[in-house]
Structure formats: structure tokens, C-alpha cells
Amino acid sequence: MLNIEQRQLFHKFVILDMAIQSLQRDFKVIENLKMSRVYLPILEKLLKDITQDYYNSKRLLAKDKIRVVKWEKIDEYFSDVHVATAGNDVILRYANMAIKTQVENLLISHQNKDQDSIEK
């Protein structure tokens, strides 16, 4: 079973995982653009920052013996994440569109933080 803090950390981990997967897919596409030298450094910075957050979250979850067993797409709207815990295993259902929106918001907020640090 997951307590509230563990569930929040796990949710953050899921969002970070999806963000990394999205950035890696986009990276392959952007490499082939004529202006790739403009976009690739931005993508690399985002990927580096988010990957660091991802591993920190994963390490905290591992301390509590929490890990993802598998993702299972239910239909075009929902996916289940099977989670192994020290106690009972849990299945969490996520709305695909909500996850996509949260990934976009995460990437935008990271990009805005980078932009703010450049301006200062």
C-alpha cells in the first residue's frame, strides 16, 4: 500500500518518466531538422535536468521498496501502472490525456526556470 507522500512521489516519478520518453523520441526527430543545432542544446538541457530529478525520485522510491512492475494500456483514454510495494501490490489508473498535459506543464516549467536563470 502507498501512503499519501509515497503516492505523490510515485506520481512525480511517472510524470518524469513520461517526460524523458517524450524528449528522447523528440530528440530523434529534431536531429534531422536543418536547424537542429539551435534546438538540440535546449532539448539536451531539459533532458539532463529531468533525468536528474527522475533518478532522485527513483532512489527515494527504492528506499521504500516501491517500483513499477509494468504499464498496461487499457484503451486510448486510460493506462494502468502496476506498482510493487513492500506490502500489497497496487494498480494505479491514469488518464492518458491528463498525464500528457502534466508532462507538457513540467517541461514548460523547467524551460521557464532556465529562461529566468539566463535573464538574471
Side-chain angles (χ1 to χ4, degrees):
M1 203 67 193
L2 297 172
N3 64 35
I4 293 171
E5 293 85 18
Q6 291 170 329
R7 191 175 285 256
Q8 289 172 339
L9 179 60
F10 186 79
H11 180 71
K12 178 182 174 185
F13 173 77
V14 166
I15 300 301
L16 291 166
D17 183 41
M18 297 304 293
I20 289 170
Q21 289 179 37
S22 294
L23 288 172
Q24 288 172 337
R25 276 192 304 273
D26 292 350
F27 199 88
K28 292 174 185 172
V29 173
I30 289 175
E31 282 179 320
N32 297 322
L33 296 177
K34 289 181 182 179
M35 298 291 289
S36 65
R37 289 184 13 194
V38 173
Y39 301 114
L40 287 178
I42 297 167
L43 227 53
E44 287 170 347
K45 173 80 170 101
L46 266 174
L47 193 54
K48 180 182 173 192
D49 291 347
I50 290 172
T51 300
Q52 184 66 41
D53 290 347
Y54 169 83
Y55 283 118
N56 289 339
S57 298
K58 187 174 183 174
R59 188 173 56 254
L60 290 172
L61 289 169
K63 278 185 185 178
D64 291 337
K65 297 178 176 48
I66 299 169
R67 64 183 172 83
V68 173
V69 175
K70 72 175 180 174
W71 278 86
E72 183 179 13
K73 186 173 181 175
I74 301 302
D75 56 28
E76 64 181 289
Y77 303 107
F78 295 99
S79 296
D80 283 350
V81 180
H82 296 255
V83 184
T85 66
N88 297 333
D89 291 355
V90 180
I91 298 174
L92 301 174
R93 180 155 290 175
Y94 285 95
N96 296 334
M97 199 61 189
I99 292 290
K100 180 181 180 281
T101 301
Q102 290 178 9
V103 167
E104 287 174 356
N105 291 339
L106 173 77
L107 294 174
I108 289 167
S109 72
H110 269 273
Q111 189 62 32
N112 289 340
K113 284 180 193 173
D114 289 345
Q115 200 65 18
D116 290 344
S117 66
I118 290 172
E119 292 173 0
K120 290 181 180 177

